[in-house]
Each structure stands twice: as C-alpha cells, then as structure tokens.
Amino acid sequence: MRKILMTTAAALALIASPAAAQQARPTVNDKAPVKSFGRVSFDGHSLMIDGQRKLIWASEFHPFRLPSPDLWRDILQKMKASGFNTVTFYFDWSYHSPKQGVEDFSGIRDLDRLLTMADEEGLYVITRVGPYVNAELARGGFPGWLQNQRAQARTDDPEYMAAADEWLTAVDAIVARHQINGDGKGHKGNVILHQIENELSQTSAVHRRYMDHLYAKTRSDGINVPIFHNDPGRQGRWVPDASPVPGVVHGPNDMYAFDAYPGGACTADGHVVRSTPAPDWGFYGEGGAKGGASASPDTPGFLAEIGGGWFDYWGSNGNYGCNSVQRGLGYQKLFYGTNLANGIALQSIYMGYGGTSWGWLPAPVVFTSYDYGAAIAEDRSLRDKAAELKVIGGTIAAVPDLAGMIPAAPIKTSSEAIRLYHNRNPKSDARFLLLAHSDGHLTEDTPFTFSADLPDGHYQFPQMRLNGYDAKWLVAGVNLGGQRLVYATSEIQSHIHQGPRDLLLMVGRKGEAGRTVLRYASAPQVKVSSGSVESHFDAARGDLVLDYTHGALASVEISGGGRPPLTLLLGDDAAGASCWTADGVLACGPNLVRHAVAKGGALALTGDTIAAGPLRVWGEASRVTWNGAPVAVRAQDGALVGTLPGPAPVTLPQLAWRSMAGSPEASPGFDDSHWQAIDHRRDATQSQKPDGQPTMTMDPYGFHEGDVWYRGRFAGDAKAQKITLAYGAGGAGMAQVFLDGALIGQGELPAGMPRPITTGSLTLNLPDNAHTQGEHVLAVMVRNNGHNWDLTASDEHKEARGLIAASIEPLTGPSFSVPVTWRVQGRAGGENFADHARGTPNNGGQYGERMGWHLPAFNDAAWKSVQGLAQGPAGTNWYRSSFTLNVPKGQDATIGVQMGDPSTPRSAQHYRALIFVNGWNMGQFIAHVGPQRTFPIPEGILNHHGGNVIALAVTSDGAPENAPQQVKLVTMQNRLGGLPVRMVEAPASLPPAP
C-alpha cells in the first residue's frame, strides 16, 4: 500500500479530480499484438485466460495478519461469496526469516497451504512477494537482521541483492508450484500475476539495475506468468520497456500497475469527508503520457491497489467505522465503476480483509488492529459494504463482454448534474453505462432521463434519480444465457443457468422505479409469482417491458417467446444483500452461503446465520440440508422455502487475576552478567550519535522486536546531576529510567499523523544518591513500537531503536561526562529464539517473556491473587488469568479482550499493556493514547472448547491514578456455521532464559 501520512486537508489537496471533458481519448493500442505467457495473455484492453477476456476483480488479504491458518479458508470463502474472482496476497519477508540464511514456511507461515486453499475455493491469485512490501509493517517487511547491513536496500548493491535473493529463491519456489501454467514438474494452481518490488519511486541507474536483477531472478526461479511492479500513484514509473510513450520511466516489467486511495478522508473526529469526485484514469481523463492505462498502451489498465478503506493510527479517535462507510456503498459503485469505464481492467481492493497486526508486526504509525474499514471486518464479520461488492462482482461475472470495452458515442442526460460514461464491446456491441454526479453536484438528489442508440434500437430511458455520492451500473444489448437483455435500469447481481432455465437477480435503490426490457421473437407468457410488477409486450420491437419499484424481492416467471424459461427476481439493495450465488444455486436469507452441492435431488448448502430466519432457494433439488442438517422445505413461487436456525448465545466467564512484579532488572542486585556488553561494534544505523559513544542501539546486538533493557554502572560523583538519553522507540514508544531500583522518570514519543515522531531525547535530574560514593546502577527499558518503513528507498528503516546515546553530566559548568559501562538484553536468544511456532513477531525483551510467564503452562501458583488489576510498583507488572470456554458446537464466534471503557478511545490513566493469549502476543493497549480498546482473538489461538490463559504485561509509573482498568471478555460476532478450526500448534512452555 502507498504510505502517505498527511492531514485531511493535505490528503484532499492531493486527490486527483476527474476531467470535465466526456469525449474519449485513445489510451490503448488497438494494433498491439497479444502478449502470451502460457494460459495468461493480455493486450491493451484486458487480461485473457485461456484466450478469453477476463476482468480481474480482486481484493487483498494478508495471511500473516491472521495467525490461525484454518481461518484463511473462511476469508477466502467470504471473498468468493462477495463476488470476487481473484485474491491478492502480500508476503512478509520478515515473518519468515528470523535470521540470515533461514526461511521458515511452517505452521502459520505455510504459504503452500494458503495457495492451495485459494485454488480449491476457485479464486485466481496475484502474488506480491517483495522483497519490500510496505503494508504498514515494521521495516516495510524487511527482516530485522537486515538492519545491520550497511548496503543500501532497494538498490543493486551486491550485499543487499544477495540477501534479497535468499528470500526470493525460497518464496518463488512456492509460488512457481501454484502458477496457472504449472511449474513443469507436475504442479499447478491459480496464480496468474506476480509482483516484484512495491512502490519504488526512486528511478536512478542503481534502481534500474536492481529492477533488472529482480526480473531476471524471478524468471530464473521459474515464474512464468506476467510480472509487474506497483507504481505509488499514477506517475508512469517502471512502465514496460516496450511502451512507446515518452516521458515515462521504463523498467523490466511485463505490465504497468499503479495504486490509488482517492475519495476524501475521515477527519480526526471520525466524520466522513466526501468532497471529491472519482478520478478518470484512462479513457476519459486528461492524464496524458502518465495517465493510468495510457502510460502503457500495450498493457491493460491495472490498479494493483484501489482504496477499500484506510488504516488507523496511534492517537486517533478510532476511524475504522468512518472508513468503512466512507469507502463503502455508493463510494464503491462510483469509484470502481469509474475505473471500469476508463478501461481499468484489473482492480484489487486494498483491503478485502485487513486483520490484526499482532505482536510486533506494526510499523510505528499503526496500532494492533488493521481492520482498515474493509468489507470483511477484523472479527471476520461481513460489513454492509460487502453486499455492494457482491453486486459489482455479480455484474462482472454475468457480463463477460465488459472486458475489453472501449468508449462509445457520448450520451447527454437531461441534467447537467449527471455525467454518463458509455462504453461498448467492439466485437459484440454490448454496452456499459455508468451514471454519476458531475463535479460540484455530489451531494444532490437528481432526477434525470436520457435517450440512447443501443444495439437493439433507439430507446428513451424512463426517469431515474441519483442520490448523492453514488453511481448506477447499467448494461444493455447483452446475452445472458438464453436471454437477451435490451437494457435495464436495475443492476445485475446474479445470472445463473439452471438446467433448461435462466435465473436473473436484479437490484436497485429502495423505493426507486425500475425497468427491465427483454427481447423475444413473439409474446412470452408472464407470471408474477410475488411482488408487484407490470409488463407489456411491444410487438413491433419484440420487447417485453417490465416496470416495478425496488423493494422486497419480487419474482416473475417468463416462458415461451422463442427463448428458454426465465425466473426474474427484482428487489432493492437489502433484498439482494440476503441473496448468495454459489455453485449454480441462488439462496436468499442466510448471512452467508459458502457452497452448494447438488446430488440425486438433494441440495447440500453450507453457510452461516446470525439469527433464525427464512431460507429461499432456487436450484434443481427437492430436498435441502444446511450444514449437514435437513431443512423442512416446501415449494413456493418457483423456489424451495424453509426456516434456518440461528446461533445460541455465548456465555463468557469473568476473569480472576494473579499478579507478579515484572521489572527485576531495575534492582541494583539483579544479575546481568549473561547480558551482552555494550561495545563499539559495527552498526548501520542512520541515527547520529556523539563521537566516542559506544554502539548502543538494539539491532547490532540481535534484538529487533519489542522491548529492550539496558543496565549501566557508574561510580557516584558530585557531578552526576543529570542524565540525557537519546532513544528510538517508534510512534507512541517510550523509555523508563530507574536508578538504584527507583523510577526517576520516563519519556514517551508522540503519536498521530501525518507521521509520528520516532526518536527523541529525555533529560532527567538525578537524585542525590547518585552523588554518593560507590557503584550505582541505571536501568533503562525502551519500548520499541516498530522500525520505520522504507517508502522513499533511502534506508528509512535503519533509524535507530533502543538507546542511541547516554550521558551523565553536571547541571551547569564545564562539560564533563561520568563514565558508564552498559549491558543490553532484548528477546531471549535474540535472532536464535526458541519459540519457532509463534515466530519473529511474538516476543520482545520483558523479563516475563524471557522467563515464559506469557506461556499457558507456566505455574503461577506463587503469584499473588488480586482483585481486578491492582496497581503494582513502577515498571512492568504481570497479570495472569485462567479460564475455560464452551462455545456451542457448530458456531463461529469471535471473542475479544476488552480493556477499560469501550465508549472512549482513550483514558486519563497512563499505562500500556501487552496482551498475551495462550502465549501469543495479540496486541498492545495504550490507555492514554488509544484508540483501540477491544482486541479480537481468532479461534485457534483462543481455545473455544477448553482451557485458556491470558497474560498481561502492564507498564506504568506505579502511581495510583494510573492503575489499570477493568479487563473482560466480549463476544464480537456470533454465527451458527463457520468452519472447523484446530488449535494452532505452539509450545505451552519453554525453558526459562538465563
């Protein structure tokens, strides 16, 4: 994803505005030869699979943000059910590589299993392997050990490229086995496109040689599908070498792709800003040589990322709800439809499912939740916007002629407030008409009409209306199975061919009039089975005209007239939202239909319900089962109808706590002899330190994630009056400083947008005991909230973390620095940590982590039983609670850990907590920064049918007013259905670290 961190005003200023002109501009080369890559080929109009043009309608999913692999299939099934034909995957190099020379694809990192699932669920796959991905990940996906490499990343430096090649060799081998073309060794899958690098805006000679190397390496690794790079913004960078367009930056790619996040923004107080129209990136735009598809006329328009929401940041008021609305419903029709009208033949929504940046995955700006306001929420429930995506995907699936369309003759509407895009398929003459508000009219409710020359004649359309930030997708002159659709003012959600008949579901906005016109050789028989639909036959044209008002689902049976029978279903958006197309069956009523299998007159449906309710099924069967249980059904209006049960409530236990102080490192007598001595070893940090200072940053010592402790010894001196620390901690990171066991102060880095401050300085006055003779011990804990990404390809990720420099000096007078000898300790084992199952993101250097206090099998019998989370001493205090869950069998619930009052994004108490569930670090709560208070725990991490342990590592100054708040379990979503989920295998205990 393109990482632009800015104020709302700045964001709006940078969003492209559409061209006023509606006259089409040529942006593809109609004479360009088809470029073939086995089963995948393309020209300037569209991708082709097995020679058939295909619109790619994709959404993004990051498997590393859902560490329960059985649930990957749940997300893929929901994407498929929501109308997508393709899934896009980012892969995170850091997630798989704890140290140089190690690439781990086991357990939660099993990409082979992931790609197999996508193939089994009938989705094409776009793979994005890096080496750099960004994606709001710490270091943008670079592994921690790369921090110590002085070679500049994302260039042709041999040391960096050798490191990248280790990753590419391993991950490309997996992708190669799952290509749609196969790998020549008998393996085959559904990968159709492959991305090398991401958002590389630098285009110098060293970067060109780097891109050449990546392309050659990828091909030598056996990748045989088209290769692309994702341009950050529509800037014409890394356009394929063969492109004849001047003024662009060429590169060794097969296709040009770009990303974009238009559509306004959510303000800091959570309000939607909808002041920007949809940009024209192609046929109807003024983009010139760098404009969308026109930057590469021999390759199809390709949006590798189009905004489906937006990330949220430390210190916000909690904008996911706003983002889910802002980039939902009408936005999707308007922006994705405008893209399609402009010849963007491949669109991938970022994100389809955002998930959770658990552990230490996040970059400094983002907190644990990566919900993104996506159609599938972080708790895996379907938002309302998923229903709109389902209609878009249904239209694309029903009308293959949408692929390869070009602009047709301009059409004017009766209102200047309405703009109309008119495209046609050059072979079939099928039409696509997109209606949207013109600039300056986005908030109006506008009636309008128009006339058009269509493939089946000249037609005057009835009056329609467009209300505000919305668009209408209309098609005309298309064949749908055995039917001929002349035109409709409703939108196609589903077309299915069932035996001798066609089934067509069309929807529109509630209360608006609709018209559907079908062509017949002679007058057909029309039976309105349910609802209110008027019809008449125009014998001169052979048109059956049906008029209605969009509302509850109406059913019309049409037969004769020289065509196969047709069941026509007409409803509003809400009616369509309850309907699902699966495996040639249409079922209405459930919250989700996953699959339908017909055999021997029986129809086996699987899916989810959130409450008891009706089922209505159109399919070739007389008996129905739902998730394996028979459903009593009866025939009604051409369908089978019955009732489905809903879920039972989930009963959750109250949590009882045991506690233990967890900062023994602060004590002067703590044994740190096994810690690493701070020395002058080589580092690669970009952060400056004073001359003569040792290397204090954490990465050169093998510590890359989470908290790190320093202990320094000095001899008491009258001049030891203040200590100054320079430290790097990421957005909302912190440092605590103890002297001889007592907290003397702490510092915290700011959070928020446009970009968090990630390094800082802390100066504290030393107490009088620092002046006394004898040895004194400083203990400093630094909370590292993630390394920077490297968006500008300037080694931003190498900014220091941990301490950068430290000095003890007098308050005034001549410069003098008291000598201090330092030791450092982070995650137990550093890069050679023991918990391979949970992997790199899970642990930092807290004492409790090193001792295994977060693990479920740890014996906490000696800990103190406390009421609630009683305040402990300054530093980090640990709390553990054991409990049993008994979620009813056959139900898919998401249970979350709720911290404090969910109605407020932040609290007056200043403390932070790491949340461990059965040993897994599932997030960080910062009470006074916010906004996240509820942390969903996926099944497989949480045992829904047995024992569980929550461990909290709570850090504060120990003041009574900063005591931690109430913690409880909450049910975030509860459905009858779902999929079987096994517990993720991970050690319940580990040998304590020294």
Short mmCIF file of all heavy atoms in Angstrom, two decimals, residues 452-470:
data_model
loop_
_atom_site.label_atom_id
_atom_site.label_comp_id
_atom_site.label_asym_id
_atom_site.label_seq_id
_atom_site.Cartn_x
_atom_site.Cartn_y
_atom_site.Cartn_z
N ALA A 452 -30.77 6.86 -25.96
CA ALA A 452 -29.51 6.29 -26.44
C ALA A 452 -29.77 5.34 -27.60
O ALA A 452 -30.79 4.65 -27.65
CB ALA A 452 -28.81 5.54 -25.31
N ASP A 453 -28.82 5.33 -28.52
CA ASP A 453 -28.81 4.33 -29.58
C ASP A 453 -28.09 3.10 -29.04
O ASP A 453 -26.89 3.13 -28.79
CB ASP A 453 -28.11 4.86 -30.82
CG ASP A 453 -28.91 5.94 -31.52
OD1 ASP A 453 -30.13 5.75 -31.68
OD2 ASP A 453 -28.31 6.98 -31.88
N LEU A 454 -28.83 2.02 -28.89
CA LEU A 454 -28.31 0.79 -28.31
C LEU A 454 -28.28 -0.30 -29.37
O LEU A 454 -28.84 -0.14 -30.47
CB LEU A 454 -29.18 0.37 -27.12
CG LEU A 454 -29.29 1.39 -25.98
CD1 LEU A 454 -30.25 0.90 -24.92
CD2 LEU A 454 -27.92 1.69 -25.39
N PRO A 455 -27.66 -1.43 -29.10
CA PRO A 455 -27.58 -2.49 -30.11
C PRO A 455 -28.94 -2.95 -30.63
O PRO A 455 -29.05 -3.37 -31.79
CB PRO A 455 -26.86 -3.62 -29.37
CG PRO A 455 -26.02 -2.92 -28.35
CD PRO A 455 -26.84 -1.74 -27.92
N ASP A 456 -29.99 -2.84 -29.80
CA ASP A 456 -31.31 -3.31 -30.21
C ASP A 456 -32.24 -2.18 -30.62
O ASP A 456 -33.44 -2.39 -30.78
CB ASP A 456 -31.94 -4.12 -29.07
CG ASP A 456 -31.16 -5.37 -28.77
OD1 ASP A 456 -31.01 -6.21 -29.68
OD2 ASP A 456 -30.64 -5.51 -27.63
N GLY A 457 -31.69 -0.97 -30.81
CA GLY A 457 -32.51 0.14 -31.28
C GLY A 457 -32.31 1.39 -30.45
O GLY A 457 -31.50 1.44 -29.52
N HIS A 458 -33.07 2.44 -30.82
CA HIS A 458 -33.01 3.70 -30.09
C HIS A 458 -34.06 3.67 -28.98
O HIS A 458 -35.22 3.36 -29.22
CB HIS A 458 -33.30 4.87 -31.03
CG HIS A 458 -33.20 6.20 -30.36
ND1 HIS A 458 -32.00 6.85 -30.15
CD2 HIS A 458 -34.16 7.01 -29.81
CE1 HIS A 458 -32.21 7.99 -29.52
NE2 HIS A 458 -33.52 8.11 -29.30
N TYR A 459 -33.62 4.04 -27.75
CA TYR A 459 -34.52 3.95 -26.60
C TYR A 459 -34.47 5.22 -25.77
O TYR A 459 -33.40 5.81 -25.56
CB TYR A 459 -34.15 2.76 -25.71
CG TYR A 459 -34.52 1.43 -26.33
CD1 TYR A 459 -33.65 0.78 -27.21
CD2 TYR A 459 -35.76 0.85 -26.07
CE1 TYR A 459 -34.00 -0.42 -27.79
CE2 TYR A 459 -36.11 -0.36 -26.65
CZ TYR A 459 -35.23 -0.99 -27.50
OH TYR A 459 -35.59 -2.18 -28.08
N GLN A 460 -35.67 5.62 -25.34
CA GLN A 460 -35.81 6.69 -24.35
C GLN A 460 -35.93 6.03 -22.98
O GLN A 460 -36.86 5.26 -22.72
CB GLN A 460 -37.06 7.52 -24.63
CG GLN A 460 -37.34 8.60 -23.60
CD GLN A 460 -36.30 9.71 -23.61
OE1 GLN A 460 -35.88 10.17 -24.67
NE2 GLN A 460 -35.88 10.13 -22.41
N PHE A 461 -34.98 6.29 -22.13
CA PHE A 461 -35.00 5.69 -20.80
C PHE A 461 -36.02 6.40 -19.91
O PHE A 461 -36.22 7.62 -20.03
CB PHE A 461 -33.61 5.78 -20.15
CG PHE A 461 -32.67 4.70 -20.59
CD1 PHE A 461 -32.29 4.58 -21.92
CD2 PHE A 461 -32.16 3.78 -19.69
CE1 PHE A 461 -31.42 3.59 -22.33
CE2 PHE A 461 -31.29 2.78 -20.08
CZ PHE A 461 -30.92 2.67 -21.41
N PRO A 462 -36.68 5.67 -19.03
CA PRO A 462 -37.61 6.31 -18.09
C PRO A 462 -36.83 7.18 -17.11
O PRO A 462 -35.61 7.08 -16.98
CB PRO A 462 -38.26 5.13 -17.38
CG PRO A 462 -37.24 4.05 -17.44
CD PRO A 462 -36.55 4.23 -18.77
N GLN A 463 -37.56 8.04 -16.42
CA GLN A 463 -36.89 8.91 -15.44
C GLN A 463 -36.26 8.07 -14.33
O GLN A 463 -36.88 7.14 -13.79
CB GLN A 463 -37.86 9.91 -14.84
CG GLN A 463 -37.15 10.92 -13.95
CD GLN A 463 -38.08 11.96 -13.37
OE1 GLN A 463 -38.74 11.72 -12.37
NE2 GLN A 463 -38.15 13.11 -14.03
N MET A 464 -35.03 8.41 -14.02
CA MET A 464 -34.32 7.80 -12.91
C MET A 464 -33.88 8.91 -11.98
O MET A 464 -34.08 10.09 -12.26
CB MET A 464 -33.11 7.01 -13.43
CG MET A 464 -33.46 5.78 -14.22
SD MET A 464 -31.99 4.92 -14.82
CE MET A 464 -31.60 5.94 -16.24
N ARG A 465 -33.26 8.53 -10.86
CA ARG A 465 -32.71 9.51 -9.96
C ARG A 465 -31.40 8.97 -9.39
O ARG A 465 -31.19 7.75 -9.31
CB ARG A 465 -33.67 9.87 -8.83
CG ARG A 465 -34.14 8.73 -8.00
CD ARG A 465 -35.19 9.19 -7.00
NE ARG A 465 -34.59 9.82 -5.84
CZ ARG A 465 -34.80 9.37 -4.59
NH1 ARG A 465 -35.58 8.31 -4.38
NH2 ARG A 465 -34.24 9.97 -3.57
N LEU A 466 -30.53 9.90 -9.04
CA LEU A 466 -29.25 9.55 -8.43
C LEU A 466 -29.09 10.42 -7.20
O LEU A 466 -29.12 11.65 -7.30
CB LEU A 466 -28.11 9.79 -9.41
CG LEU A 466 -26.75 9.23 -9.04
CD1 LEU A 466 -26.79 7.71 -8.96
CD2 LEU A 466 -25.69 9.66 -10.04
N ASN A 467 -28.95 9.77 -6.06
CA ASN A 467 -28.95 10.48 -4.79
C ASN A 467 -27.53 10.55 -4.23
O ASN A 467 -27.01 9.58 -3.70
CB ASN A 467 -29.89 9.79 -3.80
CG ASN A 467 -30.12 10.63 -2.56
OD1 ASN A 467 -29.53 11.69 -2.40
ND2 ASN A 467 -30.98 10.15 -1.67
N GLY A 468 -26.89 11.70 -4.43
CA GLY A 468 -25.61 11.97 -3.77
C GLY A 468 -24.45 11.15 -4.28
O GLY A 468 -24.30 10.90 -5.48
N TYR A 469 -23.65 10.70 -3.34
CA TYR A 469 -22.38 10.04 -3.60
C TYR A 469 -22.66 8.60 -4.02
O TYR A 469 -22.59 7.67 -3.21
CB TYR A 469 -21.57 10.08 -2.32
CG TYR A 469 -20.06 10.13 -2.46
CD1 TYR A 469 -19.43 11.16 -3.14
CD2 TYR A 469 -19.27 9.16 -1.86
CE1 TYR A 469 -18.07 11.24 -3.22
CE2 TYR A 469 -17.89 9.22 -1.93
CZ TYR A 469 -17.29 10.26 -2.61
OH TYR A 469 -15.93 10.33 -2.68
N ASP A 470 -22.97 8.39 -5.28
CA ASP A 470 -23.46 7.10 -5.74
C ASP A 470 -23.24 7.02 -7.25
O ASP A 470 -22.84 7.98 -7.89
CB ASP A 470 -24.94 6.96 -5.39
CG ASP A 470 -25.43 5.53 -5.38
OD1 ASP A 470 -24.64 4.62 -5.72
OD2 ASP A 470 -26.60 5.29 -5.03
#
